[in-house]
Amino acid sequence: MDQFTRSNKRENLGRDYDAVTRRLHDLGIMINDSFVFRMDDDDERVLERTVEWAVEQGITTATFHIQTPYPGTRLYAQMERQGRITTRNWDLYDTRHAVYRPARLTALALETGYRRAYREFYR
């Protein structure tokens, strides 16, 4: 099962995002992208690669988010079964904090990378 199926998201297959961003820029349309970090298949470099791509494409504004398994969702239930939920402090369920144990890096590394993504994109 791939990351999109597990997260109940559909992938935009066959899209050439470089061409799409060029076309929107040619039409004078600003682009605000929103990125969610930490699918289990991602490695730590995904944060850096994402920012590099957004800057290279001339994305106008961007928001970055840490995947958040909200209570009542399949993702939350799955992570609960796996023992990966690390807090029930609902104030931290804001897409800025890692409230679960990521599969391939530490929660601290994820949060640090998230903050770095904002700094690097907007510098």
Side-chain angles (χ1 to χ4, degrees):
M1 182 181 300
D2 68 20
Q3 66 182 344
F4 294 99
T5 304
R6 283 193 307 272
S7 63
N8 200 31
K9 302 288 183 191
R10 289 187 295 173
E11 184 176 6
N12 293 316
L13 297 175
R15 300 287 176 151
D16 179 350
Y17 287 106
D18 295 345
V20 170
T21 57
R22 279 193 306 276
R23 178 71 175 135
L24 291 172
H25 285 302
D26 290 346
L27 293 170
I29 298 172
M30 296 184 346
I31 302 170
N32 175 21
D33 270 344
S34 184
F35 301 94
V36 178
F37 294 127
R38 214 52 228 145
M39 300 302 231
D40 280 347
D41 296 336
D42 294 340
D43 60 21
E44 193 168 342
R45 270 247 323 121
V46 73
L47 294 95
E48 184 179 331
R49 287 192 318 265
T50 300
V51 172
E52 287 171 0
W53 180 87
V55 170
E56 287 170 5
Q57 296 305 312
I59 302 301
T60 311
T61 61
T63 56
F64 301 98
H65 308 275
I66 294 174
Q67 174 180 259
T68 302
Y70 293 107
T73 64
R74 279 195 286 169
L75 179 61
Y76 185 91
Q78 173 190 344
M79 288 191 172
E80 178 75 10
R81 279 191 308 277
Q82 295 170 344
R84 293 173 60 191
I85 299 296
T86 58
T87 184
R88 286 178 176 68
N89 177 349
W90 308 126
D91 290 339
L92 298 178
Y93 281 66
D94 58 6
T95 78
R96 294 180 297 151
H97 296 90
V99 296
Y100 64 97
R101 199 170 41 261
R104 297 182 68 186
L105 74 160
T106 67
L108 178 60
L110 177 54
E111 289 179 2
T112 300
Y114 158 82
R115 288 189 298 276
R116 186 179 327 112
Y118 268 107
R119 276 194 315 273
E120 292 300 313
F121 183 82
Y122 285 104
R123 68 181 167 104

